[in-house]
Amino acid sequence: MGLGVGLSAVKRRSLGRAGAAAVVAVGLVLTGACGGGGGESGSGGDSLTVGVLLPGGGASRFGQFDRPLIEKRLKELCPDCPAATVAATAEPAVQRQQLDAMITKGVDVLIVAAVDPKALRSSVEAADRADIPVVAYDRLAQGPISGYVTFDGDAVGKLQAEELLKAMGDKADGGQIVMMNGATTDPNAGWYKRGALSVLEGEVKIGKSYDTVGWRPENGYVNMSGAISALGAENIDGVLAANDSLAGAVVSALNASAVRPLPPVTGQDADLAAIQRIVQGSQHMTVYKPFEPAADAAAEMAVALGRGESVDSIATGTVDSPTDEDIPAVLLPSVAVTVDNIEETVVKDGMHTIDQICTPKLRPACDRAGLGT
C-alpha cells in the first residue's frame, strides 16, 4: 500500500490471517506486567504499557467497536494490563499532544490511528527516538512505523464501484456519476478513490468529483447540492460516496432537492444509519470491514513489539510510506453489504441486531427485505 497518497507498493506474503477498521480521537493507556518493554512507567523491567490513540470515540465506529475490541484482545494477551486513561479529539494538534504525553509517560508501545497522518510525523519520530515502537491502525502515519493494520483500500474502492455499476443497470454504460471522496489528509481516501476509478474509468462519465474536507458530512452536503445545481438532478445516475457519513449527506442533499427517483449511492463502514437507509432503499450499499480481526492483529503486534519480538509471523505483507519502506502489515478483506445480505453479515457478526435496525417505523421495509422473519 505505498502510502502517502495511497498504498501502491504492497508486497504480499501468503495470507495467514483474515479479516477490520475511520473520525474523532480516542487515547487510552494500558499498563501491567506483561513481559519486558522499554518504557519507564510501571513496576520495573517486567512491566508493559500500551498507549492507544484512535480517531473516533463515543458514538463513532472507533468508539463503539475498535476501542473495546482492542482493549479486550490486549487483556487476553496481557491480563494485568487494564485501561488507565481515555481521551477523545478530532483535532490533529490535540492528538499530537496526546501522543507526546504518552511518550513522556513512558509507554512501551503505541497503537495509533492518525487523525492527520502527515501532521503526526514529528510525534512518531519522537516515539522512535524514545525507543517506543508504533503500530499504525487503519491509517498509515508518516515516520518510523513498526507495524501496520488496515483493510485493503484498493479492494474497498473496487467493491464500491462494482456495486454502483450493478445498481445503475443500463445507465452503467456511459451514465454520469458524482464522486464524493474523503479528505486529502487521509491517505486511505486516495487509496479508495484509485480503487474505484480503476473500475469506473471507461464505463461512466464522472460529472463531478469532490475531495471532502475533513470527511465532514456538512461539506459533503454542500458539495452534493452544488453537483445537483451544476449537472441537473435528472443527469445524475449514481453517486460513489466514500463512507456512510458522506452517503448520508448525499441522500439528504438529494432529498432536499426533491430528486426522484434517488440514484444509487454507495458507502463504507456499515454504520447503523446506513444499514437502515439500505433497508429503506435510499442507499444502495456499504462496505463492511469486520473490526475484530483488525483489533486482534493490532493488539498482537503491539504486545509482540512491546516484548521485543518480531511481528513477521503476524504480518501478511509489507507496505511503503512516504517516509519508510517495508513496514510489516496486515491487510484485511472487506465485504459489500446490500439489502440482500444484511442478516448474513453485520447481523451475524453482532455489529447490529435486527431490533436495532428494524425500528417500528422501518418494520414494513424490514419485512419486505425479509429481515427478522
Side-chain angles (χ1 to χ4, degrees):
M1 304 191 251
L3 244 137
V5 289
L7 295 159
S8 58
V10 180
K11 303 106 176 167
R12 294 184 180 275
R13 300 190 181 106
S14 58
L15 194 62
R17 289 173 186 263
V23 179
V24 221
V26 172
L28 56 136
V29 178
L30 299 125
T31 38
C34 301
E40 298 174 359
S41 61
S43 56
D46 288 336
S47 70
L48 174 66
T49 60
V50 182
V52 183
L53 290 149
L54 301 176
S60 75
R61 186 209 94 190
F62 283 106
Q64 291 187 54
F65 301 105
D66 299 81
R67 181 190 146 207
L69 288 168
I70 290 172
E71 288 184 281
K72 174 177 175 285
R73 185 59 180 147
L74 282 169
K75 185 165 286 191
E76 290 170 353
L77 295 167
C78 194
D80 297 320
C81 297
T85 62
V86 178
T89 179
E91 299 301 323
V94 177
Q95 189 177 54
R96 287 198 305 272
Q97 292 169 4
Q98 292 174 335
L99 200 158
D100 292 343
M102 291 182 180
I103 294 171
T104 300
K105 186 183 286 283
V107 300
D108 296 292
V109 62
L110 289 156
I111 299 172
V112 180
V115 176
D116 184 332
K118 186 176 180 180
L120 208 62
R121 176 177 173 176
S122 61
S123 292
V124 172
E125 290 171 340
D128 183 60
R129 289 192 297 271
D131 294 323
I132 300 171
V134 176
V135 176
Y137 186 72
D138 191 58
R139 300 167 184 174
L140 184 52
Q142 294 189 18
I145 298 297
S146 298
Y148 182 36
V149 178
T150 194
F151 291 88
D152 188 330
D154 184 68
V156 169
K158 286 179 177 178
L159 281 175
Q160 292 173 324
E162 289 163 357
E163 287 296 329
L164 181 62
L165 293 180
K166 285 181 190 176
M168 289 172 63
D170 292 342
K171 294 181 180 179
D173 184 9
Q176 181 166 246
I177 70 164
V178 173
M179 290 189 72
M180 200 65 62
N181 310 301
T184 57
T185 53
D186 180 355
N188 283 356
W191 201 16
Y192 306 144
K193 183 178 178 180
R194 284 192 301 278
L197 287 173
S198 72
V199 174
L200 295 172
E201 287 178 333
E203 300 292 332
V204 294
K205 178 183 177 182
I206 299 170
K208 290 287 183 181
S209 181
Y210 301 93
D211 295 320
T212 311
V213 176
W215 286 94
R216 297 185 185 280
E218 59 268 29
N219 295 332
Y221 182 93
V222 170
N223 289 338
M224 191 64 212
S225 297
I228 294 168
S229 297
L231 302 175
E234 69 280 6
N235 297 317
I236 298 174
D237 301 313
V239 182
L240 192 138
N243 75 359
D244 288 336
S245 294
L246 295 181
V250 165
V251 171
S252 294
L254 291 168
N255 284 333
S257 296
V259 176
R260 291 294 182 274
L262 290 174
V265 178
T266 70
Q268 177 183 185
D269 291 333
D271 292 346
L272 177 59
I275 297 298
Q276 291 174 327
R277 286 193 297 270
I278 290 170
V279 171
Q280 290 174 308
S282 58
Q283 181 172 329
H284 172 64
M285 65 83 69
T286 186
V287 176
Y288 169 48
K289 301 183 293 188
F291 306 128
E292 187 167 6
D296 286 354
E300 289 165 19
M301 274 191 165
V303 171
L305 289 165
R307 291 171 172 164
E309 299 169 358
S310 170
V311 295
D312 285 351
S313 64
I314 301 169
T316 62
T318 63
V319 303
D320 297 339
S321 79
T323 58
D324 212 356
E325 294 183 351
D326 295 326
I327 301 165
V330 175
L331 307 179
L332 300 167
S334 304
V335 180
V337 177
T338 67
V339 72
D340 296 321
N341 66 341
I342 291 172
E343 209 153 2
E344 302 92 76
T345 54
V346 295
V347 173
K348 180 181 177 182
D349 286 1
M351 186 173 182
H352 307 303
T353 67
I354 293 293
D355 286 345
Q356 288 173 321
I357 298 167
C358 298
T359 62
K361 182 179 178 181
L362 288 182
R363 189 65 258 177
C366 284
D367 289 341
R368 289 192 296 272
L371 286 178
T373 56

